[in-house]
Amino acid sequence: MNTQELFETFRDAAAHPKKQLDAYLAAGEKVVLTAPVYVPEEIIHAMGLVPMGAWGADLPLARSKEYFPAFICSIMQSILELGIRGEYDGASAIVIPSLCDSLKCLGENWKYAVPTIPFIPMTYPQNRWGEVGTAFTKAGYERVIADLEKATGAKFDEEKLTASIRVYNRHNDAMRRLAAALPRHPEVTARQRSDLFKSAFFMKKETHTALVEELLGQWGEGSQAGEKVPVMTTGILCDSPALLDIFDELGLRIVADDVAAESRQYRTDTPDGLAPLDALSEKFARMGLCSVLYHPKKERLEYIAKTAKEKGAKGVIVVLTKFCDPEEFDYPLLKKACSATGLPVALVEVDRQMEDFEQARTLLEAFKVMLV
Amino acid sequence: MAEEVKQVRKPPDPNSAKYKLGQIAAKAYTDVIEAKARGEKIGWVSSNFPVEIPETLGIPVCYPENQAAAIAARGGGERLCQEAEGDGYSNDICAYARISLAYAKLGSAPEQDMPLPDFVLCCSNICDCMIKWYENLSRELNIPLIMLDIPFNPDYEVSDAEVAYVKGQFLAAIRQMEELTGKKWTEEKFQEVMKNSCRTSRAWLEATSCAKYTPSPFNGFDLLNHMAVMVTARGKAEAADAMETLLKEYQENHETGKSTFRGEEKYRIMFEGIACWPWLRVTSTGLKSRGINMVTTIYADAFGFIYDDFDGMIRAYCKVPNAINLELARDKRVKLCKANSVEGLLVHVNRSCKLWSGFMNEMSRQIGAECDIPVVSFDGDQADPRNFSEAQYDTRVQGLMEIMEARKGGEGA
Ligand code: SF4
Ligand code: SF4
């Protein structure tokens, strides 16, 4: 494939998850949905099942309101909406982690709203370090395994997990190299950039890795040059085409991100030298720098400021999913931490029902003026 | 009115439960203020952090949630919420957290002062929001944070893995606090605290269960006031004594046909959710004026910390209201409704509390079906007065009353 074809492939997968799902099902594969923010996909993969990200979609809400009050984030609302509407039909289970209050509620509602797709909870510890924390993570994984075996009939095998961990570490590496190369490719639009990350949730990791590596192979050195103003994005999700188009139209170029659905997924590898399930638990212990993971010193704030500087971003754009507690609590302190290093911060509130992006445009326009 | 009768306030009876409980609640603040003045290290603690730890170690602590409720009840909620919003906190964030973070910055509030902490103790068993809130306190005030993580349990029973996880953290938290304050944990003191906590809890459970009588010997709004003592002081002997007095009074009320619910009790409901502190009078009058007594709330069950040993204590903390799955949460409420002859459920959809409200629709549907009672909800907030509409509340309560009336064979039957 040439570069353009590669981008088309990423776009196609990112824009049509349902098509991907149906294709897997038609090929006789069993699909397991994975809710935000972190799910041990390696386990699902090792059991011969296809993990597919379920991060909701931009659509109007009707049925989810029978369960959720209006002040729950639109990611949770739209996942439930899609579930009730039958968009996920055919999936064998959904794994929902316990990483924020709204996610806990999604699981409880799911049992009654979408009874045909079994809910599998992944309860993580927030004190995830040390023996006590990793033992609890491991117990959580074991529970997921038992539930998956029940829901799908598939069997778990340690050796296969070792192999799957390798697949995922390699994908992490490819994604990190991709993120590092992107600043030297100003020709990549914000939407194309988003497609690169978003497609990873809907494709098999081996396939996605191969495509990303192929792209990197074609890319060569690239160059930083260009008119666009470099910025860094942070938030849970930044995949709204309308918003991303505004970035391009205004000439804002994303040179780094701290988005949960993008780079946060790929920062931590599973370490070698431990039994596979222990290694996976240790991976979770080593994760951090994320609003849904307890971090007593909130190092992520300095991390964002530092990364933005290193990558040459002139400002940080917080793409805040409305009603997202974890992000809303971090925002005032993030602003402070960035200001301390002279980095301007813009706040754009988004949700998945947003149709009018004019306010966002005006805000980003003013922000850009400030940066140049 | 021309003939206004001047009320002569009777001096409070120092042997009454109300007096005793009021004293304990007030002392919760004065003790800490005095300790701070003496140069002792004091902490802020989240409401469902095991009180056994600071109590056994003799560490003076106070409770931001109680403070926020007090500030909100006295009219300061909006001011402090806006202060936090001015710093960039979204108005979607729990109003207790907004008030507390604003207070931490200002250092004082005329509605309810509390000394600033030297460390904070956070327990995540009621929400993850708490973790974020305490992280911010710790960072902004540059003080240590001790975090006890008790995860939301998606299962009906508490697993051994969860107990082991929580126990490991418990022991670590004790060690950390010993180092921080120089105070020592002793088994003897722990036994005493455990005994008090169980005594207080037992009396509370029994007192609240007096609502089984018709009419109920108390107005359920009383429970909201007494809760502060259950939160802060259940490990103290005075609290056990005061709760036992409360129980005695309720029993006497029942025997003599009295009640703290003024007027005729025509309907009996369960109230679901945290009180709307800024609108306490409005919400209470809306019920009282219609002869509706809120005879029970989940708080009746929530403070039943009864256990025999360390592991039992841990299991109890793993089962606080916001840490349990829909089925267990539902069954606890169904039990309360049935035991107290509840005729309707009034649900506060609390904008502050995502976890409490996030699966309430489905749960209350199930409770309504299981108990065969009408369910009505209203929108509100525990501490931000801007998220409540008096008119909506009134219409909803009226609606609930009419259904209950019709079911009694009143009009139209
Ligand atoms: S967007 Fe925020 S509130 Fe919503 S599920 Fe994700 S972390 Fe939770
Ligand atoms: S009201 Fe809800 S969100 Fe706020 S502290 Fe209490 S449990 Fe947490």
Side-chain angles (χ1 to χ4, degrees), chain A residues 187-203:
Chain A
E187 73 280 7
V188 177
T189 66
R191 269 186 81 178
Q192 284 175 324
R193 187 185 183 283
S194 164
D195 293 336
L196 292 170
F197 287 94
K198 192 171 177 182
S199 54
F201 286 112
F202 310 132
M203 287 175 134

Side-chain angles (χ1 to χ4, degrees), chain A residues 19-325:
Chain A
K19 199 169 111 192
Q20 295 283 122
L21 171 67
D22 291 341
Y24 291 132
L25 295 175
E29 307 246 31
K30 286 189 175 160
V31 173
V32 173
L33 305 169
T34 58
V37 181
Y38 306 108
V39 164
E41 277 192 36
E42 293 89 336
I43 290 175
I44 301 169
H45 183 272
M47 292 174 76
L49 309 162
V50 182
M52 265 194 84
W55 290 62
D58 297 336
L59 80 177
L61 303 172
R63 302 290 314 277
S64 71
K65 292 181 187 158
E66 294 164 24
Y67 294 87
F68 280 130
F71 47 84
I72 300 292
C73 77
S74 59
I75 299 181
M76 297 295 94
Q77 304 259 13
S78 64
I79 295 175
L80 199 63
E81 182 78 23
L82 290 170
I84 299 173
R85 287 195 197 175
E87 292 286 316
Y88 295 132
D89 280 3
S92 301
I94 181 167
V95 181
I96 304 176
S98 61
L99 292 166
C100 80
D101 292 331
S102 304
L103 277 160
K104 299 170 193 169
C105 297
L106 175 65
E108 295 309 302
N109 284 327
W110 186 275
K111 290 184 273 193
Y112 299 96
V114 197
T116 49
I117 302 177
F119 156 53
I120 300 180
M122 174 58 219
T123 305
Y124 282 112
Q126 283 289 4
N127 270 320
R128 50 197 185 279
W129 315 271
E131 237 174 83
V132 174
T134 46
F136 190 67
T137 306
K138 190 176 172 186
Y141 290 159
E142 283 165 347
R143 192 257 165 83
V144 167
I145 291 169
D147 284 5
L148 281 172
E149 288 185 337
K150 207 165 102 202
T152 65
K155 283 276 158 273
F156 175 73
D157 175 327
E158 285 226 327
E159 267 172 38
K160 288 196 177 138
L161 180 57
T162 305
S164 297
I165 286 174
R166 249 180 256 129
V167 169
Y168 273 76
N169 278 355
R170 178 160 177 188
H171 183 247
N172 287 351
D173 177 61
M175 295 307 281
R176 288 194 296 260
R177 282 189 289 129
L178 177 69
L182 275 162
R184 293 190 305 276
H185 291 274
E187 73 280 7
V188 177
T189 66
R191 269 186 81 178
Q192 284 175 324
R193 187 185 183 283
S194 164
D195 293 336
L196 292 170
F197 287 94
K198 192 171 177 182
S199 54
F201 286 112
F202 310 132
M203 287 175 134
K204 287 192 181 176
K205 287 295 172 297
E206 298 87 333
T207 315
H208 198 257
T209 308
L211 291 173
V212 170
E213 286 175 350
E214 197 177 333
L215 178 70
L216 289 171
Q218 291 179 11
W219 257 356
E221 266 308 288
S223 122
Q224 279 275 14
E227 301 276 286
K228 294 182 183 173
V229 180
V231 293
M232 176 168 177
T233 48
T234 172
I236 295 292
L237 198 62
C238 183
D239 70 348
S240 153
L243 180 68
L244 294 168
D245 285 347
I246 295 175
F247 275 74
D248 288 324
E249 286 156 27
L250 294 177
L252 293 168
R253 188 154 68 86
I254 303 167
V255 290
D257 81 80
D258 165 64
V259 172
E262 299 176 12
S263 288
R264 283 190 217 170
Q265 295 291 322
Y266 307 111
R267 284 182 189 144
T268 317
D269 285 343
T270 307
D272 291 330
L274 290 166
L277 221 43
D278 292 318
L280 212 53
S281 310
E282 181 58 29
K283 172 192 175 188
F284 184 65
R286 292 182 187 184
M287 283 167 65
L289 305 176
C290 176
S291 56
V292 301
L293 300 176
Y294 170 50
H295 50 328
K297 303 242 178 305
K298 282 185 122 75
E299 300 84 349
R300 75 175 284 251
L301 309 177
E302 277 74 30
Y303 171 83
I304 293 170
K306 196 174 122 248
T307 308
K309 291 253 154 178
E310 278 170 12
K311 302 285 175 186
K314 294 218 165 124
V316 173
I317 298 173
V318 180
V319 182
L320 188 87
T321 299
K322 185 129 178 73
F323 301 119
C324 175
D325 264 2

